[in-house]
Amino acid sequence: MKVCVTGAGGYVASWLIKLLLSQGYTVNGTVRNPGDDKNAHLGKLENAGEKLRLFKADLLDYDSILAAVKGCDGVFHVASPALSGSVSNPEVEIVEPAVKGTLNVLKACSEAKARRVVLVSSIVAVIINPSWPKEKVMDESCWTDSEFCRKTNNWYCFAKTAAEAEAWDYAKSNGLDLLSVCPGIILGPMLQHTTNASSLILLQLLQEGYEEMENNERVIVDVRDVAEAIKLVYEESGAQGRYLCTSHVIKNQDLVQMLKETYPNYNYPKSFKEGRALPELSSEKLQRNGWKFRPLKETLVDSVENYKGNGLC
């Protein structure tokens, strides 16, 4: 019942650790600096005093990852380099850390003889594929077109796709029991006190007051449902392959209208123009394994109340 969670102080990892601790797991969590105040919320989780140990680790430092993974039955690789600001060399600053970091985790799992590994990938490793037939539902068989991402300088999506693809190549070559979960935009309350990229999407809708915004479709899933999905596939003996983890597809204008019903006084976008439509997506594989998700309204209200409590809006 001992597992390792990488990137323990992050948004998804924090909720996953909270869930695992509540279910009796002992957790090794990797963080850059265990004493950093941004990780303080982890020590306040139920059972953290007895069952959570934080390891100082860097994904590019193999030995530090191995130390955290040793003795663990399973590993959840949640950590991922984030795209923040401009970069001069995206191949080196974004792609290489994502791929090398993932491979370091998998190699450590092989050496430590972990029973199963769950990689948290992303929907962006699935949906950016111009050649996918528009009438065909996107499922786990669809992969993002890496070369299209490279040509369009979409380095975050390229990195997520490359990291997952390399992970599958490694697992197949080395007999590692690997699963991947590919969530959409993750919303819901935060356990940590620092904002993350997906929360900023919602905060911008509430605060920025855009004169006009593209009416793009958003693929949304609740962070608590993502944590449940990750734990579910790990515990399901017959689980295999990739799992899309999405629950709601909604246009920006409809999302704003839903927010206004409960929170009418924020600085919402003033108008919308035609935006990007997404192909139909299916999380049927995950649902067949018993995964359920909460209503979008619940996710939005819990998110906004959490932001208000943290003085963010």
Side-chain angles (χ1 to χ4, degrees):
M1 294 291 282
K2 181 186 282 189
V3 294
C4 178
V5 178
T6 66
Y11 183 39
V12 175
S14 295
W15 276 103
L16 176 60
I17 290 172
K18 176 181 171 67
L19 177 62
L20 292 170
L21 291 175
S22 73
Q23 299 293 311
Y25 281 85
T26 297
V27 180
N28 290 352
T30 73
V31 293
R32 288 187 176 274
N33 183 357
D36 195 317
D37 185 58
K38 69 180 182 181
N39 298 316
H41 63 284
L42 296 172
K44 300 174 184 176
L45 298 175
E46 179 188 4
N47 298 324
E50 306 80 39
K51 292 185 174 291
L52 175 63
R53 182 183 175 190
L54 297 182
F55 285 73
K56 180 179 175 63
D58 186 319
L59 290 179
L60 301 182
D61 178 355
Y62 177 78
D63 289 338
S64 70
I65 296 297
L66 180 60
V69 169
K70 275 186 175 178
C72 290
D73 183 58
V75 176
F76 301 93
H77 181 36
V78 188
S80 175
L83 179 57
S84 57
S86 60
V87 293
S88 57
N89 190 337
E91 293 272 13
V92 172
E93 297 174 61
I94 302 172
V95 179
E96 187 177 320
V99 174
K100 186 178 179 182
T102 296
L103 290 177
N104 275 344
V105 171
L106 298 187
K107 289 172 183 176
C109 291
S110 291
E111 183 173 341
K113 295 181 170 53
R115 180 182 64 84
R116 173 170 274 184
V117 185
V118 181
L119 167 67
V120 179
S121 182
S122 170
I123 199 74
V124 301
V126 177
I127 64 173
I128 305 174
N129 189 331
S131 64
W132 188 264
K134 290 184 178 179
E135 69 280 359
K136 186 177 179 182
V137 176
M138 279 188 170
D139 57 17
E140 288 77 9
S141 66
C142 183
W143 279 84
T144 281
D145 184 334
S146 294
E147 285 310 306
F148 178 79
C149 290
R150 188 193 294 274
K151 289 174 184 175
T152 54
N153 294 316
N154 193 339
W155 292 107
Y156 174 76
C157 297
F158 181 92
K160 294 297 287 188
T161 306
E164 189 185 350
E166 291 282 351
W168 281 113
D169 286 345
Y170 177 89
K172 289 168 185 173
S173 298
N174 293 274
L176 190 65
D177 184 3
L178 175 70
L179 305 167
S180 69
V181 175
C182 301
I185 295 171
I186 304 172
L187 298 178
M190 301 180 298
L191 293 174
Q192 84 283 9
H193 297 298
T194 53
T195 56
N196 55 290
S198 57
S199 298
L200 286 174
I201 292 172
L202 193 52
L203 284 165
Q204 286 170 352
L205 286 178
L206 293 166
Q207 296 175 325
E208 292 297 328
Y210 298 104
E211 286 297 323
E212 188 176 55
M213 172 178 270
E214 288 187 351
N215 196 21
N216 294 333
E217 285 188 324
R218 304 281 193 179
V219 183
I220 296 174
V221 63
D222 191 289
V223 66
R224 295 161 292 187
D225 296 335
V226 174
E228 291 281 1
I230 296 167
K231 176 176 172 286
L232 177 68
V233 299
Y234 173 74
E235 293 178 339
E236 175 56 53
S237 60
Q240 56 183 337
R242 308 172 88 197
Y243 289 84
L244 265 64
C245 184
T246 67
S247 49
H248 305 284
V249 177
I250 186 170
K251 291 183 177 181
N252 280 332
Q253 187 170 4
D254 297 328
L255 189 57
V256 165
Q257 187 57 44
M258 187 175 286
L259 286 164
K260 280 182 176 179
E261 290 171 4
T262 307
Y263 305 101
N265 298 321
Y266 281 101
N267 194 19
Y268 295 106
K270 296 175 177 60
S271 63
F272 294 88
K273 60 182 177 181
E274 186 175 351
R276 180 188 64 246
L278 295 171
E280 186 178 349
L281 299 164
S282 173
S283 290
E284 181 183 346
K285 182 181 178 185
L286 192 53
Q287 290 173 281
R288 285 200 307 266
N289 280 267
W291 183 65
K292 296 183 172 68
F293 53 83
R294 63 200 69 212
L296 179 56
K297 184 80 171 194
E298 180 182 338
T299 298
L300 295 178
V301 169
D302 288 354
S303 298
V304 176
E305 291 301 318
N306 177 257
Y307 303 160
K308 288 166 62 178
N310 286 324
L312 299 173
C313 69

